[in-house]
Amino acid sequence: MYYDKGIDWYSNFFDTETNYKAYGELSHDYFLEAKTAMRIYDFNPNVKLIACLRNPADKIISNFNYAKRTYLSNEVDFQSFFQFHEKYKKNNSHNMNKETANYYENLYSFYELFPIENILVVFYDDLKSNPQKFIQSIYQFLDVDATFVPSKLNEMVNPNTASRSAFVAHFAYAVASIFRKLGLANFVGTVKRNNFFNSILYRNTKSVEKKILTQKEKEMVDAYYKSAYPKLEKLIEKAIPKAWND
């Protein structure tokens, strides 16, 4: 979205005056388009890349719930959302549909350009089961202090939420999208992190009904993703979690 603003604009987001051992950022969307891999390579061919992969079935359900909360009509069911992804994905740079968990296709362009030792693939399953081991693997990959333990390591920082008003939440999301296009992504991020603003739009609750796949939906999702698992394992040279094949 902001590539045309140039490298200097991008670099200004980093505090390069302080002597940090590593600088970085995160994005949910960088690996959705092959051209992004080339752009990153052109910027820094020696960069280290980290990809955290979630069980595709869980990820697409999460995407569906997020889309419902932010822009998708309540009339759209999961099967329609999954099958007609071009219609309901939002847009290419903020894609909420099934190709976001097409991990072999998503990562292939990066493995073509970058040496495998510069790419770390970790799994959300491991983050849930052993957060400290998960974060230490990232520290070791980055060659920074692996003994550091973040204060919020075992805290849930993004709890399950439900919108207080679907109309208001959808409107807020639309306004935020406009601000992002105007180059005000930092402002949007600041507002999103504001507790008061979030309390107006959403309510944190464990009682929010979560989407659970029916047997038919599970078969549909498995048919789409599972055939690529062997190729993915060969590409990343790592076995995927056993739970993905349940």
Side-chain angles (χ1 to χ4, degrees):
M1 182 183 293
Y2 305 115
Y3 181 73
D4 293 338
K5 291 183 178 292
I7 297 301
D8 290 340
W9 177 87
Y10 175 75
S11 299
N12 285 334
F13 286 91
F14 300 92
D15 176 14
T16 54
E17 295 182 1
T18 305
N19 189 27
Y20 294 118
K21 292 191 69 174
Y23 298 85
E25 62 149 325
L26 63 86
S27 171
H28 301 288
D29 307 316
Y30 279 168
F31 75 169
L32 298 183
E33 297 184 87
K35 65 182 179 183
T36 307
M38 180 57 74
R39 287 174 173 178
I40 295 174
Y41 184 84
D42 289 342
F43 172 66
N44 183 358
N46 299 312
V47 70
K48 288 192 172 183
L49 304 167
I50 303 170
C52 181
L53 308 184
R54 186 177 185 181
N55 185 325
D58 293 340
K59 187 178 191 314
I60 192 61
I61 293 172
S62 177
N63 286 4
F64 176 70
N65 289 332
Y66 178 81
K68 281 281 190 177
R69 195 168 69 243
T70 55
Y71 71 87
L72 196 66
S73 168
N74 285 330
E75 297 176 357
V76 180
D77 60 18
F78 177 80
Q79 186 168 340
S80 298
F81 178 75
F82 189 83
Q83 291 183 329
F84 304 108
H85 58 110
E86 285 295 327
K87 181 177 180 181
Y88 296 121
K89 69 180 184 179
K90 186 60 179 175
N91 54 54
N92 286 332
S93 63
H94 197 71
N95 194 332
M96 282 291 106
N97 222 284
K98 61 185 180 184
E99 55 265 38
T100 63
N102 250 350
Y103 299 135
Y104 174 77
E105 299 293 338
N106 299 151
L107 293 172
Y108 183 81
S109 298
F110 291 88
Y111 278 88
E112 276 196 312
L113 292 171
F114 297 93
I116 192 168
E117 60 267 22
N118 278 27
I119 303 176
L120 174 68
V121 173
V122 290
F123 298 103
Y124 182 71
D125 307 60
D126 298 328
L127 171 60
K128 291 195 299 181
S129 63
N130 193 332
Q132 186 164 342
K133 184 178 179 180
F134 175 90
I135 197 67
Q136 285 178 336
S137 70
I138 293 176
Y139 291 156
Q140 290 165 357
F141 174 69
L142 296 175
D143 195 26
V144 297
D145 182 7
T147 64
F148 175 71
V149 179
S151 60
K152 294 185 179 293
L153 181 63
N154 294 297
E155 293 182 25
M156 183 178 291
V157 296
N158 189 19
N160 195 33
T161 61
S163 58
R164 296 184 184 276
S165 165
F167 173 79
V168 174
H170 287 198
F171 177 75
Y173 182 81
V175 172
S177 297
I178 294 173
F179 283 163
R180 287 191 182 95
K181 290 178 181 178
L182 293 174
L184 299 173
N186 277 357
F187 172 74
V188 173
T190 300
V191 173
K192 284 178 65 178
R193 291 188 294 271
N194 182 276
N195 290 333
F196 176 72
F197 179 79
N198 273 285
S199 68
I200 294 174
L201 285 182
Y202 305 109
R203 53 189 173 91
N204 293 343
T205 174
K206 294 182 179 180
S207 63
V208 175
E209 183 179 353
K210 295 182 179 181
K211 169 64 183 175
I212 299 175
L213 294 179
T214 64
Q215 184 60 35
K216 181 179 179 181
E217 290 170 340
K218 187 177 186 308
E219 290 172 357
M220 175 181 65
V221 170
D222 286 347
Y224 181 77
Y225 289 118
K226 283 190 174 181
S227 61
Y229 288 173
K231 293 193 299 182
L232 174 63
E233 291 180 317
K234 185 176 180 180
L235 179 70
I236 66 177
E237 297 186 2
K238 182 180 291 188
I240 63 173
K242 292 181 180 179
W244 288 24
N245 283 302
D246 288 348

